[in-house]
Every structure is written in structure tokens, then in C-alpha cells.
Amino acid sequence: MDTDLRSYSTFKIGGSAFSICKLKSDEDIVHAHRFATDYNKPLIIIGEGSNSIFGETNGHYVIGHMHIRGITAKSKGDKVLITVGAGESWDGLISQTVDQGLTGIEALSWIPGTVGAAPVQNIGAYGSEIADTLVSVRAFDRTTERFTVLSAQECQFSYRDSIFKQRPHRYVITHITLALTHAAPPIPQYKAVQERFMGTKPIVAQIRSAIIEIRQSKLPDVRALPNCGSFFKNPVVTREQLRAIQKDHPAMPFFEIDTQSVKLYAGWLIEHIDYASCESENIRLYEKNKLVLTNHGGATFQELERVISCLTNTVARTFGVTLEVEPNIYR
Ligand code: FAD
Ligand code: NAP
């Protein structure tokens, strides 16, 4: 099997793995866990690699490539509970649920990746996140060596974060269960989407189509231009920090979170520094979205690290704000 780690990251950087294990069943997971433990190697579970970047180490990682499939549905009151294997395509799942007129995850359309990775960073877009519909996650717990079911509360979801991201080597997710409904879908409160549906009552399929169209017009296709989507999380700051930044940057956009904190737009911060001086020969910021770093071919991990530190240091110097990298980096 191909051990080139570039095949397991849509950023297309990386050395070679110690071993790759295809995970199609519970037994495969237990086997991969024991294999990695016996050889004293970190086990990294990978779906499509659209949020994972590897360093150029050779023979360090055991990769568990998730392939568990299957989608089942059952009605419970006015909800439809959908249980899905971790190796299913996330967008493929939405395509099927939307075909059945089910509401709940349509705003998360066209996010690349697998179902099993979706709870890891509590994927989100257009004001929606998987935590809104997730009922439970079934996973292999590597500390107890047992399969277990975590409730949504136990997943400790927050903005692009969860227990799975906090404890990266503990759980191997096998299935998730979502609760969807046949209710009329809300229109996401984001300008680009709202503009399309002004004064209308779209059905769920129309919301999905609009989101796919908007995303395709703004984001690079990973097959044509390697990338991992947004590279930095939107920073959350206190109102006091906001007032301090606004003294020099009164036009800076921000979004309300609660009475104490606001969310800044990381893309705007980057657009307002001399980002071009941070770009390298092979790594550039996407022309339509400066939050997306792209690999124009042949980029090295060291090159990526230089670009990241230049961007984060310059944003920190200019705005006093710390940018946090969103993709999972395995050095
Ligand atoms: P991978 O990169 O394979 O894995 C991601 C992390 O999850 C890794 O830490 C991995 O170890 C872990 N993991 C994967 N599967 C399992 C499992 N079964 N059990 C335990 N751990 C596991 N994200 C958003 O939130 N919103 C967006 O709108 C969005 N848009 C994107 C647009 C583009 C063009 C791209 C390239 C990325 C975008 N992303 C977005 C990021 C990414 O698509 C999501 O995070 C997605 O869920 C990653 O899925 P994957 O299968 O590729 O994950
Ligand atoms: P956009 O709609 O141009 O908005 C720009 C930024 O402003 C986003 O970061 C968004 O925050 C914030 N924003 C806009 N309207 C908002 C509102 N009404 N309330 C709160 N925050 C608001 O963003 P875009 O770049 O085209 O992306 C669209 C959506 O897809 C966003 O939700 C974005 O997070 C998501 N996306 C994520 C990735 C990824 O890899 N994580 C990649 C591409 C797109 P939020 O980001 O917090 O929503």
C-alpha cells in the first residue's frame, strides 16, 4: 500500500508513514490500535485529509484510513434519526438527506471530508454546526480499549472544537447519529445566502444548491489546487480588546458572540497586513479568500511553517491578536 503521506492530505505535503491500515470494521480498528501500540507509533485516523497536514518525517506514523460505510434511518416522534458510518462522504450524506426533504445539515453542504471527521472540529458554516443536530457518537476508546457511545454533551462541542480535537489520540469514531426533521428550513443569516432568498420560503434542496453555488464561486477545488480550507480560526476577543483595536482600525468588522466577547474575521486581519511578503514560492493565499493557504506544487513543510509564522507574527504585531491554526498538523 502507498505510504506517501501526501496522498492522505489535501494540502499534499508530507513524508512517508510507517504503515497504512484500512479501517472497514470494528475488528480493523482494534487491530490497528494494537499494531500501533506494539510498535510504539502514534496512530492517526484519516478520512479524506482535508483538515490534516503532515511534516516530512519518515516511518513515524501508523495511519488508520477510515472506510466504515452505511447509512440507516429511523423515525422518532417528529425527528428522523440517521446513523452513519464514519467513512461515508459528508457531502454525499447531505445529498441523500436533502433528497428525502430532511432539514438540519443543509447549510453544511459542500464541506469536503468524511462523516467521522465532522464532529472532530464540530464543522461549521453559515451559522450552523454539526453540534446543532448531533445526538451521539460511537467510538473506540483507546484508553479503555472498548467501544463506547458519547452523547452530544460528552463531545464537549464549542467553536470548531470538541473532545476529539482536544484528545487527538484517544477516540476512533465509527458512527455518528444525527436528528433531522421535515420542518421548513431556516435561511442562514449570512449575507450571501440571504440575498438569494429575500422574501421567499425556499425548500431545503434550494438552500443546499445556493450554498454549493456560493462555495464553488469562492473556494478552490482541492483536486485542482491543494489546500485545507480556512487556515486560521476566527479569533474571539473581549470587548475591551475590540475597543483597543478599533482605535487604529475603526472599519474592522466584528460579530457579536455574547455580552463579553466578539468574533473577529481572521480573513480581514490577514487582508490588512502585508500578506504578500509572507507568501513563498509555492505557498500563496487564495486570491478570492485570504484565509485559505494553497500549495501551488512542491511546497515543503518548512516552507509552510515559515508562511504560518510570518502571518501569525505580523497579525499579532499589527492588531495584538493571536491567530490559531485550524487544520491538524502532524509534525
Ligand atoms: P481529515 O483531515 O482526514 O481528519 C481531520 C481530523 O479528524 C484529524 O485530526 C483526524 O485524525 C481526525 N479524524 C478523522 N476521522 C476520524 C475518525 N473517524 N475518528 C477519529 N478522528 C478522526 N471545515 C469546516 O468546519 N467548515 C467549512 O466550511 C469547511 N470548508 C472547507 C473547504 C475546503 C475547500 C476545505 C479543503 C476544507 C474545509 N473544511 C471546513 C475543513 C474540513 O473539510 C473539515 O474539517 C472536514 O470535516 C475534514 O474531513 P476529513 O475526512 O477530510 O478529515
Ligand atoms: P463569509 O460569508 O464571507 O463571511 C466572512 C466571515 O465573517 C466568516 O468567517 C464568518 O464567520 C463571518 N460572518 C459573516 N456573516 C456572519 C454573521 N451573520 N454572523 C456571524 N459571523 C458572520 O465567509 P466565507 O469565507 O464565504 O465562508 C462561508 C462560511 O463557510 C463561513 O461560515 C465559513 O466559516 C465557512 N467556511 C469554512 C472553511 C473552513 O475550512 N473552516 C472554509 C470555507 C468556508 P464564521 O467563519 O464563524 O462562520
Side-chain angles (χ1 to χ4, degrees), residues 127-295:
S128 195
E129 50 186 28
I130 193 175
D132 301 339
T133 51
L134 188 134
V135 177
S136 61
V137 168
R138 180 178 180 275
F140 178 68
D141 182 343
R142 295 188 68 211
T143 57
T144 60
E145 300 194 316
R146 282 170 192 272
F147 288 88
T148 182
V149 175
L150 290 93
S151 66
Q153 199 185 2
E154 287 169 322
C155 294
Q156 297 174 21
F157 290 124
S158 60
Y159 176 64
R160 306 293 190 266
D161 204 7
S162 73
I163 191 168
F164 311 109
K165 197 153 184 177
Q166 291 298 324
R167 305 287 304 271
H169 301 292
R170 179 163 176 185
Y171 295 103
V172 181
I173 297 170
T174 68
H175 295 83
I176 69 168
T177 298
L178 303 173
L180 307 182
T181 70
H182 285 284
I187 300 172
Q189 299 297 299
Y190 276 45
K191 200 163 154 254
V193 191
Q194 275 196 320
E195 278 171 0
R196 300 205 169 209
F197 295 117
M198 214 88 82
T200 65
K201 285 191 179 157
I203 59 167
V204 67
Q206 290 171 308
I207 295 197
R208 171 168 163 79
S209 303
I211 282 180
I212 292 176
E213 234 179 272
I214 296 168
R215 290 180 69 101
Q216 285 180 336
S217 72
K218 287 175 135 185
L219 287 167
D221 179 344
V222 287
R223 288 162 302 186
L225 187 53
N227 73 89
C228 270
S230 301
F231 215 88
F232 300 100
K233 292 184 188 181
N234 284 333
V236 174
V237 300
T238 61
R239 284 181 188 273
E240 205 180 324
Q241 283 173 289
L242 173 69
R243 280 191 291 276
I245 303 168
Q246 281 176 325
K247 278 187 191 143
D248 288 333
H249 309 277
M252 181 182 71
F254 64 91
F255 301 94
E256 301 287 339
I257 293 202
D258 53 38
T259 49
Q260 272 143 59
S261 43
V262 297
K263 177 182 76 179
L264 307 182
Y265 176 29
W268 188 94
L269 301 177
I270 291 173
E271 278 163 24
H272 289 78
I273 59 170
D274 177 16
Y275 61 81
S277 67
C278 292
E279 290 177 318
S280 65
E281 187 187 345
N282 301 300
I283 297 179
R284 307 214 198 108
L285 307 192
Y286 188 55
E287 52 179 348
K288 296 182 195 168
N289 185 339
K290 299 293 179 247
L291 207 43
V292 179
L293 268 56
T294 57
N295 176 1

Side-chain angles (χ1 to χ4, degrees), residues 79-129:
K79 306 255 192 238
V80 179
L81 298 183
I82 311 276
T83 297
V84 197
E88 292 285 348
S89 146
W90 172 253
D91 191 62
L93 168 68
I94 305 181
S95 162
Q96 291 192 37
T97 56
V98 164
D99 277 351
Q100 289 160 29
L102 291 169
T103 297
I105 49 176
E106 63 283 353
L108 304 176
S109 288
W110 213 244
I111 297 180
T114 51
V115 162
V120 175
Q121 77 154 5
N122 182 20
I123 55 167
Y126 302 102
S128 195
E129 50 186 28

Side-chain angles (χ1 to χ4, degrees), residues 45 47-52 112-114 117 121 123-124 173 215 229 328 330:
I45 309 303
E48 289 177 15
S50 65
N51 216 22
S52 299
T114 51
Q121 77 154 5
I123 55 167
I173 297 170
R215 290 180 69 101
N328 305 278
Y330 300 105

